[in-house]
Amino acid sequence: DIQMTQSPSTLSASVGDRVTITCRASQSISSWLAWYQQKPGKAPKLLIYKASSLESGVPSRFSGSGSGTEFTLTISSLQPDDFQTYYCQQYNSPQRTFGQGTKVEIK
Amino acid sequence: EVQLVESGGALVQPGESLRLSCAASGFTFSDYRMTWVRQAPGKGLEWVASIKQDGTEKYYVASARGRFTISRDNAQNSLYLQMNSLRAEDTAVYFCARDRGPGGTSPWGQGTLVTVFS
């Protein structure tokens, strides 16, 4: 199975900061990568699909980039509601694996 | 409105079985691959199983293969996960979700809690 490695596990930042989360795949997944945001006790919400396509209704401060094995999620100016946990997921193979998650905390 | 509602979660003992259900509405269910994802308490997301639109192809995470069976009833707009020989490490919230292929996985249901205790 394809392994996904996210970094960092925890990120401390302030409102207004630009933050970047990285996701690495154990083999090439082309652009078949999605990013999700999860709030405590809630279902994950799709933010980005196909590495860089913004899901409808998601604020434009979220962006994704990358292809092959290395990908990034960037939040251009962190807002109070963005202090959540983020996951990447590859869907290049039928076994869709997730990264271990990145918790964005208030500094 | 596209909606997924899971049910069937319960408190069970190791070795027992449980069947989860997911009722879909607001979209043409038979057009989409469907997925189960779980999240153990305080842990990350783990993809569990997926099923093709017509049910002919099924995929499982290694830890579920041979114990869990994913199925669907397109006439009833329903997805199922039959879980046998449950273990303590299967304790998690189980989410069903719509796989949009190139468009990622969305939406997700609210989840149903399975607790395996001895």
Side-chain angles (χ1 to χ4, degrees):
Chain A
D1 291 1
I2 299 173
Q3 307 303 315
M4 305 301 293
T5 304
Q6 253 181 270
S7 61
S9 298
T10 306
L11 189 161
S12 296
S14 302
V15 173
D17 283 354
R18 179 184 180 88
V19 300
T20 298
I21 300 167
T22 298
C23 187
R24 289 186 174 88
S26 60
Q27 64 188 73
S28 177
I29 58 169
S30 185
S31 295
W32 303 120
L33 184 103
W35 290 97
Y36 303 86
Q37 177 194 68
Q38 189 179 31
K39 298 181 178 182
K42 299 294 186 182
K45 172 189 168 185
L46 178 66
L47 298 176
I48 302 284
Y49 62 93
K50 208 176 173 187
S52 60
S53 296
L54 190 68
E55 174 71 353
S56 176
V58 173
S60 59
R61 62 180 179 273
F62 292 93
S63 63
S65 64
S67 66
T69 61
E70 187 148 341
F71 302 85
T72 59
L73 172 71
T74 299
I75 309 173
S76 60
S77 177
L78 211 51
Q79 298 303 298
D81 192 45
D82 300 339
F83 291 93
Q84 309 297 348
T85 301
Y86 296 85
Y87 295 92
C88 63
Q89 182 200 29
Q90 67 80 21
Y91 52 103
N92 182 70
S93 75
Q95 291 78 16
R96 275 95 154 95
T97 44
F98 289 92
Q100 67 269 46
T102 295
K103 184 175 183 180
V104 178
E105 295 182 331
I106 300 174
K107 186 186 285 184
Chain B
E1 180 195 3
V2 175
Q3 196 170 14
L4 298 168
V5 179
E6 302 94 335
S7 60
L11 213 57
V12 297
Q13 294 190 322
E16 293 188 340
S17 298
L18 203 57
R19 189 197 199 203
L20 304 184
S21 300
C22 173
S25 60
F27 65 102
T28 304
F29 182 71
S30 58
D31 283 351
Y32 293 88
R33 182 179 298 219
M34 297 295 294
T35 286
W36 287 100
V37 174
R38 67 184 177 185
Q39 187 169 37
K43 302 296 184 183
L45 301 173
E46 180 181 39
W47 171 84
V48 175
S50 292
I51 185 168
K52 202 177 169 183
Q53 289 88 326
D54 59 5
T56 57
E57 293 180 22
K58 305 175 184 183
Y59 307 94
Y60 300 93
V61 67
S63 60
R65 209 167 288 135
R67 299 189 301 128
F68 291 7
T69 301
I70 188 172
S71 63
R72 65 191 295 161
D73 183 338
N74 287 343
Q76 297 294 321
N77 293 334
S78 294
L79 175 72
Y80 305 102
L81 186 67
Q82 176 67 42
M83 303 186 294
N84 298 332
S85 303
L86 282 162
R87 307 167 179 164
E89 53 265 36
D90 296 319
T91 294
V93 174
Y94 285 73
F95 298 99
C96 77
R98 182 179 69 170
D99 188 326
R100 303 183 323 189
T105 298
S106 180
W108 298 54
Q110 84 289 349
T112 188
L113 177 61
V114 173
T115 304
V116 184
F117 78 107
S118 55

